[in-house]
Amino acid sequence: MASHTGIQPDRLAALLARERDRYAAARPRSQALARRADAHLLYGVPLHWMTDWGTPFPLFVESARGARFNDADGHDYVDFCLGDTGAMFGHAPAPVAAAVAAQAQKGFTTMLPGEDAAVVGELLAQRFGLPFWQFALTATDANRFVIRWARAVTGRSKVLVFNGCYHGTVDDVFVDLVDGVPTQRDSLLGQVYDLTRHTAVVEFNDLAALEVALAAGDVACVLAEPAMTNVGMVLPQPGFWAAARALIRAAGALLVCDETHTISTGPGGYARAHGLEPDFFVLGKPVGGGVACAVYGFTAELAARMQATKSAAPPGHSGIGTTLTANALAMAAMRANLESVMTEAAYAHMFALAERLAAGLRAAIGRHGLPWCVSQVGARTEFQFCAAPPVNGSEAEAAMDHGLEHALHLYLLNRGVLITPFHNMMLVCPETTAGDVDRLVAVVEEAIGELIGSEV
């Protein structure tokens, strides 16, 4: 019997087994490197989730540039994963590579600002409409620092998140709704205190639940992606954010927009494009063109409260900041990326290709009569195993089928196309071509045909 995805389990198992064999046979060098790394790296990789691609052993990369990369065995790939947004503007954009190379001759880190700091501050303020900025090494750090600031200036302890969210590895956000009950995520390792004491969670697009959660007056901030991207794409319903913003303001809480993924919406992110007016704005991995860095911006009124709170606190470490934050290489990368890579023209190119990709996928899915849908946020496209786009995290999670995802991703990989390992998310970059998009759509349709045993 076919699952909710319309795919027969036996056909899925057969295809996955065949593709794993094909992968292994074609990559002896990657396999040798995996065995070598296994002697000293946990799970044989620098970070354990690098084994989440559904491959028999990790794929080792030789080089990456633009929309393509090469593996250790000499295979060439079109990359629609793009470092899960870290390389959203392509691998090693020329202006960023040149800026980092030049700065490398002048020093890496000093714990002191240079001219780039002043310029980057100006560029961020102009682009995102918030006057004040601080820096971090990752979006995880930026979110952690923002939560600390929000609690400090409001005197409140709680953070509110949406079910199925992802904001890096900040402890406070690992709370889900399980049968309607806030529950600490059971996959979280080493957690020794109850996160639900200080984290509230509601479904995305549920204004009634949001209002109830804010009513007690103990929520310091609502931390949210303007459109959810981690549990599968979940778009805001018409009018949701306007009403939610009013509720958050009325409750005296702060709105934090984490746009590390939704920067795909446009040069100023989703919040600027749709008038969300966040109190805090967080942007991680794409802002430096793939170099490790992150930023968070805030309003003038909030900046005054932050300065007053810091001045009133006893001397000592604030718990905010790391010694490599805003290092010279990161600042040079951000300046080059903001000035020369994250341009209106680049976004226009990406939007056109993402539209082409979404249309092509919808047509392919429709030709085979599968109960799947396609969603898009600017340069980001995703197909999900449900007939209509989900409206909250629970619906999006229910639509997932990790076995089918692995099979599709591996099928694509074996034919020179990479998408993200975590769900069916795809990005286009300024170097992606229409031919690349058409190739992806064709391979997806080929995989569907094999899975359901039909040809169109």
Side-chain angles (χ1 to χ4, degrees), residues 4 163-164 176-177 231-232 390 392-402:
H4 74 276
N163 185 38
D176 295 322
L177 285 176
V231 72
N392 58 46
S394 291
E395 288 187 9
E397 185 172 17
M400 288 184 169
D401 183 318
H402 299 301

Side-chain angles (χ1 to χ4, degrees), residues 42-414:
L42 186 66
Y43 297 104
V45 286
L47 288 172
H48 65 81
W49 50 255
M50 289 182 178
T51 63
D52 286 351
W53 296 86
T55 56
F57 48 82
L59 183 70
F60 280 75
V61 174
E62 177 68 26
S63 63
R65 185 170 296 276
R68 286 170 167 75
F69 71 93
N70 296 296
D71 70 14
D73 289 282
H75 304 297
D76 178 69
Y77 302 83
V78 181
D79 190 358
F80 290 91
C81 173
L82 296 170
D84 192 27
T85 316
M88 195 182 91
F89 302 103
H91 296 288
V96 176
V100 170
Q103 182 60 49
Q105 302 303 311
K106 300 187 290 183
F108 297 173
T109 186
T110 61
M111 287 181 64
L112 292 167
E115 180 183 327
D116 285 343
V119 175
V120 170
E122 293 167 354
L123 292 169
L124 291 169
Q126 292 165 9
R127 179 179 290 260
F128 299 110
L130 289 166
F132 290 97
W133 293 83
Q134 290 282 268
F135 299 85
L137 274 175
T138 67
T140 289
D141 279 345
N143 283 320
R144 185 180 292 117
F145 300 158
V146 164
I147 289 171
R148 192 173 286 274
W149 277 120
R151 286 171 166 158
V153 301
T154 64
R156 300 174 174 186
S157 71
K158 281 194 174 180
V159 175
L160 188 149
V161 296
F162 291 105
N163 185 38
C165 71
Y166 179 75
H167 301 288
T169 55
V170 180
D171 285 0
D172 307 76
V173 305
F174 287 98
V175 178
D176 295 322
L177 285 176
V178 178
D179 297 325
V181 178
T183 305
Q184 186 170 296
R185 196 168 299 174
D186 58 12
S187 63
L188 188 58
L189 297 176
Q191 185 61 45
V192 296
Y193 59 88
D194 182 5
L195 295 175
T196 62
R197 292 169 52 200
H198 297 290
T199 299
V201 57
V202 300
E203 293 285 13
F204 197 63
N205 285 315
D206 190 338
L207 290 169
L210 177 62
E211 185 171 16
V212 169
L214 291 169
D218 56 356
V219 172
C221 67
V222 175
L223 173 58
E225 290 185 290
M228 295 185 74
T229 65
N230 181 66
V231 72
M233 195 178 293
V234 181
L235 304 181
Q237 297 290 287
F240 170 73
W241 271 119
R245 190 68 187 96
L247 290 173
I248 294 165
R249 278 205 178 101
L254 302 172
L255 173 61
V256 184
C257 283
D258 180 352
E259 295 238 33
T260 300
H261 283 173
T262 56
I263 192 64
S264 63
T265 308
Y270 193 102
R272 196 78 192 270
H274 296 275
L276 268 59
E277 299 181 354
D279 299 293
F280 282 107
F281 175 99
V282 171
L283 178 58
K285 47 196 171 185
V287 70
V291 174
C293 55
V295 300
Y296 59 99
F298 38 95
T299 64
E301 184 270 339
L302 195 48
R305 293 170 66 185
M306 292 161 69
Q307 288 178 317
T309 301
K310 179 68 174 73
S311 296
H317 202 302
S318 64
I320 296 169
T322 58
T323 53
L324 287 177
T325 293
N327 66 76
L329 291 178
M331 300 307 289
M334 282 188 279
R335 179 175 179 174
N337 202 50
L338 289 164
E339 286 182 332
S340 303
V341 181
M342 291 177 64
T343 63
E344 294 278 0
Y347 272 96
H349 173 83
M350 294 190 293
F351 290 167
L353 289 182
E355 291 282 356
R356 184 185 187 102
L357 174 56
L361 289 171
R362 287 190 184 104
I365 291 165
R367 280 191 290 270
H368 292 276
L370 288 172
W372 301 359
C373 66
V374 178
S375 298
Q376 182 188 349
V377 174
R380 178 182 300 273
T381 308
E382 182 159 345
F383 61 93
Q384 290 161 283
F385 306 134
C386 47
V391 300
N392 58 46
S394 291
E395 288 187 9
E397 185 172 17
M400 288 184 169
D401 183 318
H402 299 301
L404 178 53
E405 288 172 13
H406 277 173
L408 287 170
H409 301 173
L410 186 54
Y411 190 98
L412 290 165
L413 187 64
N414 280 335

